[in-house]
Amino acid sequence: MVTTSLIPAPRHVVPGAGETPLTAHSALHAGPGTEGVGRWLGAALRAATGLPWQEARELAEAGGGVRLALAPALGAEAYRLVSDRTGVLVEGGDAAGVLHGAQTLRQLLGPDAFRRAPVRRDRAWTVPHTTVEDAPRFRWRGLMLDVARHFMPKEGVLRYLDLMSAHKLNVLHLHLTDDQGWRVEIRRYPRLTEVGSWRARTKIGHRASPLWDERPHGGHYTQDDLREIVAYAAERHISVVPEIDVPGHSQAAIAAYPELGNSDVVDTAALTVWDTWGINPNVLAPTEDTLRFYEGVLEELLELFPADAGPFSPFVHIGGDECVKDQWRASRTAREQIAKLGLADEDALQSWFIGHFDRWLAERGRRLIGWDEILQGGLAPGAAVSSWRGYAGGVTAARAGHDVVMCPEQQVYLDHRQDAGPDEPVPIGYVRTLEDVYRFEPVPAELTREERARMLGTQANVWTEVMEDQGRVDYQTFPRLVALSEVAWSELPAPADRDFPGFERRMTEHYRRLDALGVAYRPPTGPRPWQRRPGVLGRPVDGPPPAV
């Protein structure tokens, strides 16, 4: 039965007897507060079914069709879908809940409902009689997309927002800057994109690989591109959290503006946008001038990512990870700054750097979030932590009263390989199968009830060093992101007790939905011939990943 193939798994499903037919006479009524969802659903259904889907002005006019309504008592993002002889009713605790219910309706209609044009004009469209009541487990259900290492054009980002919405994910963490590229237009600093968004060539595979792509690579989003992305996301009730990485992972910015680097230690004027991967020793100079520069960057960024575009839109990610201190130790300027500020050492200097932007953002009604290294030296009460090096950073943050997004590298980094076989393209890290991701548990058992309340949720991270185009991103991301979406949304048993065979059975139908959406996922039988990349060196890590 179609209702048993729903993904993510809903809390309650009561199948009925019969079906609701949808015809050329079916109408769509969007009640007060659901108009945006109505426009989206109407466009999606018209495209896929070829039916006219007239907009009903009054509830009674939609008899036998689809009705959308708010029911605040259901709670945030929750929904109830009822299909019976009177038609289909989708109620949501808020507009986001109505949208989630509408996505469930698309699944009930079958895989062809995810297409952009009808494939059979004579097809009969029906919705099985059923009642679905559902609500999310976590508030933050996210995907981190790295567009800095390999640039993803705007259309690709919009496509991923559609894919996220189809899986009831609601946070796009957009990694916009790194050593290998700067992707956001900053008008007061034009060289960030004129210089910093392009590299002369690119390492193919792991950094130890001898292979190079000698073509220049780059691109960036204009400010209007980013406004469009944010607006498109908001229509789908997705918050976009931008990341500007400081003080490490900043060579692209230093290549554009050499004064940002430690010029008393290295010739920063000779630095170019980095063309390989790994942890880079070229980090920002810890000076007041550097702070003023990035305040200017963030002032423009806050205009592009308004705080009212979604529940997590106040957040700004500042990175803070993998900042090598060697240049600071050798820098007279850095040593003088440490003495002037009365700090203990270079680690405290990074804490000062992060703390400055913590306060700066808070003064503007925003919330800082960063990778778990930012815990060193303490944080302001409103700051949050992305726990990536394992669970430990998240546990420490929660116990210190900070909100946490769990995204441990060993569990949900989707650049890690999906199989140990020789056909897996560019094998990176631990083997993380679809089942491994499905059995991932974001909340550590040792937390108290109060500490567990600090868990905003979870996300999968897609780092693109070895993903040169959309097909490679799709392959690494899907179907594992589907499993993560169920972990983030559904009330699942303990990992060992989860019904993975049942999930696999539901995936049989879901692969057809992904096919309709044009997703180049990894098939359960292994990579297709054109998805393999023989001869490209990776960095596989043997054995099961530690739970650290």
Side-chain angles (χ1 to χ4, degrees), residues 269-298:
L271 294 177
T272 60
V273 178
W274 213 25
D275 55 13
T276 189
W277 321 121
I279 300 176
N280 192 319
N282 295 302
V283 302
L284 296 174
T287 65
E288 296 291 338
D289 287 343
T290 301
L291 298 184
R292 300 292 87 75
F293 183 96
Y294 275 88
E295 287 173 1
V297 169
L298 290 172

Side-chain angles (χ1 to χ4, degrees), residues 37 61 107 122 209 233-234 258-259 293 354 380 457 461 476 487 515 536 538 542:
V37 180
E61 296 177 8
Q107 292 195 19
D122 58 347
S209 166
E259 63 271 23
F293 183 96
I354 299 299
N461 293 346
Q476 293 298 133
V487 169
D515 288 334
V536 179
D542 293 330

Side-chain angles (χ1 to χ4, degrees), residues 187-390:
R187 288 174 177 166
R188 75 185 69 184
Y189 303 129
R191 287 178 59 82
L192 286 172
T193 47
E194 291 172 358
V195 174
S197 70
W198 288 91
R199 59 178 180 262
R201 63 176 188 168
T202 300
K203 174 67 69 175
I204 298 177
H206 182 249
R207 58 182 174 271
S209 166
L211 304 176
W212 293 88
D213 182 344
E214 297 292 346
R215 297 172 298 175
H217 176 85
H220 73 275
Y221 308 111
T222 68
Q223 294 200 353
D224 282 345
D225 287 339
L226 289 169
R227 291 188 180 97
E228 180 183 355
I229 287 170
V230 170
Y232 195 86
E235 290 174 351
R236 287 148 184 78
H237 297 276
I238 297 173
S239 301
V240 183
V241 175
E243 180 180 353
I244 302 294
D245 212 337
V246 295
H249 289 291
S250 298
Q251 184 163 323
I254 297 169
Y257 291 93
E259 63 271 23
L260 294 174
N262 296 284
S263 56
D264 58 342
V265 178
V266 296
D267 181 9
T268 55
L271 294 177
T272 60
V273 178
W274 213 25
D275 55 13
T276 189
W277 321 121
I279 300 176
N280 192 319
N282 295 302
V283 302
L284 296 174
T287 65
E288 296 291 338
D289 287 343
T290 301
L291 298 184
R292 300 292 87 75
F293 183 96
Y294 275 88
E295 287 173 1
V297 169
L298 290 172
E299 283 175 1
E300 294 194 26
L301 197 77
L302 297 190
E303 294 178 1
L304 303 176
F305 296 87
D308 60 356
F312 297 107
S313 296
F315 282 98
V316 175
H317 207 293
I318 50 73
D321 63 314
E322 298 181 328
C323 180
V324 181
K325 310 295 193 304
D326 293 347
Q327 290 184 0
W328 288 1
R329 294 186 183 96
S331 168
R332 178 178 178 180
T333 299
R335 293 196 303 272
E336 290 175 348
Q337 185 73 301
I338 289 172
K340 176 183 175 182
L341 296 169
L343 301 176
D345 53 22
E346 289 77 17
D347 289 337
L349 189 59
Q350 178 173 348
S351 179
W352 164 80
F353 196 105
I354 299 299
H356 173 83
F357 290 107
D358 193 350
R359 294 185 296 274
W360 189 91
L361 288 167
E363 289 168 359
R364 288 154 181 80
R366 298 306 189 97
R367 294 186 64 184
L368 179 145
I369 185 169
W371 304 111
D372 52 59
E373 288 96 327
I374 69 172
L375 285 164
Q376 300 165 5
L379 288 173
V385 171
S386 302
S387 187
W388 78 273
R389 291 181 295 178

Side-chain angles (χ1 to χ4, degrees), residues 398-411:
R399 288 176 173 168
H402 296 289
D403 289 339
V404 176
V405 176
M406 275 294 184
C407 49
E409 172 188 15
Q410 303 86 350
Q411 313 298 328

